[in-house]
Structures are given as C-alpha cells and as structure tokens.
C-alpha cells in the first residue's frame, strides 16, 4: 500500500482523525497537503498546510488550480455540536448539512480535473451516525447518510477515471474525546460497548484510508468500508433477563443455544 510520489489532500487534516489520516499518508510515502481554516497548533511533519474553508467553493477551486497534481482527496472536514432538533432553527441545522454534505461535494468538484488526470481517488469520511438514529446530532447523521449516497453516485459517474469510496467510522479516541465521553474512566466505559473493547485510534482510520487510496484497492469503488470495531452491542442483549449461558441451555434442551430473532 505504498503511495510514493502521490499527492494527497486531506481536508480538516490538522487535528483529530484528520491528523491521523495525514500522518498515515506521510508514512505511506505520499506528499500530503492538509487544509483547514486555521493552521495546526503543532505542525505535522511531512505535510504542507494550505488554508481553506471547505464551504467556500470558489476558494476550493483556487486551491486545486494551484496544485500541479492531485492523486488523492480525503474529504474529512466535518462535525457538529450536540444540539437537539428543537433547540435551534432550521438554518442552524442546514449549516451542519452544508459542512458535512455540500462541502465535500464542492471540494470534490473542485478537485475533479486534477484527480481525473492522475486516475486518482476520493475517500469520504463517513460515520456510523449515518446508519442509525443520532439524537442530538440528527442533521449530522442525515448528512453522513447522504454522503455515502453521494459517493456511490460519484463512483458510478466518474468511473473509470476516479475511484470514490467511503470510510464509515465509529468512535475514535482523539484529543477531544473527553468533551464527548468524559474522563479516562468514561472513555474506557464507552469503549467497552464496542465488540473490540475500545475506541479506534486516528492512525487506524488513517491506515484504512491509505488502503482505499492505494493500488491494493484498484478494483474497489462505490464501496463503504466499516471502521467501527464491530459496531455497537445491541441494547436488548443487556436488557434481557433470560439466562443464555451454554450450560443452562444444554441442561434444558440437551443442545447448544441457537440464536434467532422473532419477527
């Protein structure tokens, strides 16, 4: 999965998941440009910084016009504050959709000519919030669901010149995790709800992004790759009162338990 000589642009690449992605591309040998509204507090070794508000389509056009080559675009910039639907007007929620859905579309269009010339690829950074209810971040979840759909349509329209895929990312441990999950004990408790028993590291999301951008994924486009540690343990399993231990079931039926669902 080497990317020697490739040029990768990572939006929102100055901290958190974006910085983890940028570092992974540097390790893979790529020349990396990170974009954000403000420069990183600590420069990321091996990267170049270019200021960009991804919601400004004209600015995105100027940025890519100034780059001689682009092989990979990672649409990572996004996010949303926790806000119940009734706590804000429709315009506030529309701004969340703009950042997480319309901006990746605008940036992708701005990069299209460069990517087509390089036979490159786009990696969208989606979220598990796009596939389940997201109380408190409903507009964000809706935007991420739309982003997956957008990526699939882009993949069909832009093939074979540009591959487009989505990483559907679960909970990630970053420098801001305490704002969502609390102290170290809170983060550990949240991690135990994931089948793999912990939150992802930004570097692990980065490795998955490198894979999708590399020649190892040359026949993959229009796909959604789950990077969520197995997802979320169904709440009903912990709420059920029935004894489901193998010993108890064998004692009653003489056979191992069989999982089933009732319609």
């Amino acid at each position: 999965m080497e990317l020697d000589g490739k040029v990768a642009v990572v939006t929102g690449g100055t901290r958190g998941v974006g910085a983890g992605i940028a570092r992974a591309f540097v390790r893979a040998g790529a020349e990396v440009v990170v974009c954000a509204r403000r420069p990183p507090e600590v420069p990321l070794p091996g990267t170049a910084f270019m200021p960009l508000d991804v919601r400004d389509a004209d600015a995105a056009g100027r940025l890519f016009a100034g780059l001689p080559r682009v092989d990979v675009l990672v649409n990572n910039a996004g996010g949303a504050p926790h806000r119940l639907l009734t706590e804000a007007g429709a315009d506030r929620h529309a701004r969340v959709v703009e950042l997480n859905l319309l901006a990746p579309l605008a940036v992708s269009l701005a990069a299209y000519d460069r990517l087509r010339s390089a036979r490159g690829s786009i990696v969208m950074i989606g979220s598990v919030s796009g596939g389940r209810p997201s109380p408190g971040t409903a507009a964000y979840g809706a935007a991420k669901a739309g982003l997956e759909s957008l990526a699939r349509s882009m993949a069909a329209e832009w093939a074979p010149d540009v591959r487009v895929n989505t990483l559907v990312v679960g909970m990630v441990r970053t420098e801001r995790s305490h704002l969502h999950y609390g102290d170290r004990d809170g983060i550990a408790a949240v991690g135990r709800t994931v089948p793999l028993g912990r939150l992802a590291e930004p570097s692990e999301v980065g490795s998955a992004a490198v894979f999708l951008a590399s020649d190892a994924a040359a026949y993959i486009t229009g796909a959604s790759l789950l990077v969520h540690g197995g997802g979320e343990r169904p709440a009903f399993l912990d709420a059920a009162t029935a004894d489901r231990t193998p010993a108890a079931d064998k004692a009653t039926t003489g056979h191992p338990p069989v999982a089933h669902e009732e319609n």
Side-chain angles (χ1 to χ4, degrees), residues 80-255:
H82 186 277
R83 181 185 293 129
L84 296 176
L85 286 170
T86 54
E87 291 179 349
D91 59 328
R92 284 291 192 89
H93 298 301
R95 289 171 62 184
V96 173
V97 175
E98 178 187 20
L99 174 62
N100 292 280
L101 176 58
L102 300 182
L105 170 59
V107 174
S108 298
L109 288 169
Y112 174 70
D113 287 339
R114 291 286 185 265
L115 290 168
R116 182 182 60 180
S117 297
R119 301 278 292 194
S121 73
I122 296 173
V123 180
M124 302 289 197
I125 304 302
S127 170
V128 293
S129 295
R132 57 154 169 75
S134 299
T137 54
Y140 173 81
K144 290 300 188 179
L147 189 66
E148 279 193 72
S149 177
L150 174 64
R152 288 191 293 269
S153 295
M154 275 186 179
E157 286 195 21
W158 293 358
D161 299 319
V162 180
R163 295 186 300 107
V164 187
N165 294 291
T166 304
L167 289 183
V168 181
V169 180
M171 296 179 289
V172 184
R173 183 167 185 163
T174 70
E175 63 269 27
R176 298 170 66 86
S177 292
H178 65 282
L179 299 177
H180 303 281
Y181 312 126
D183 59 13
R184 180 180 299 179
D185 290 340
I187 292 172
V190 171
R192 287 193 292 272
T193 69
V194 178
L196 285 185
R198 61 178 177 83
L199 277 59
E201 297 295 332
S203 61
E204 293 172 311
V205 181
S207 294
V210 166
F211 163 68
L212 287 180
S214 74
D215 289 342
Y219 199 66
I220 299 175
T221 194
S224 295
L225 176 60
L226 298 172
V227 185
H228 62 3
E232 300 171 350
R233 178 178 169 83
F236 78 86
L237 293 176
D238 296 320
T241 58
D243 185 352
R244 295 300 184 191
T245 62
D249 280 326
K250 285 181 181 178
T252 344
T253 66
H255 300 284

Side-chain angles (χ1 to χ4, degrees), residues 3-4 46 61 67 91 136 172 249 263:
L3 297 175
D4 292 340
L67 295 174
D91 59 328
V172 184
D249 280 326
N263 295 323

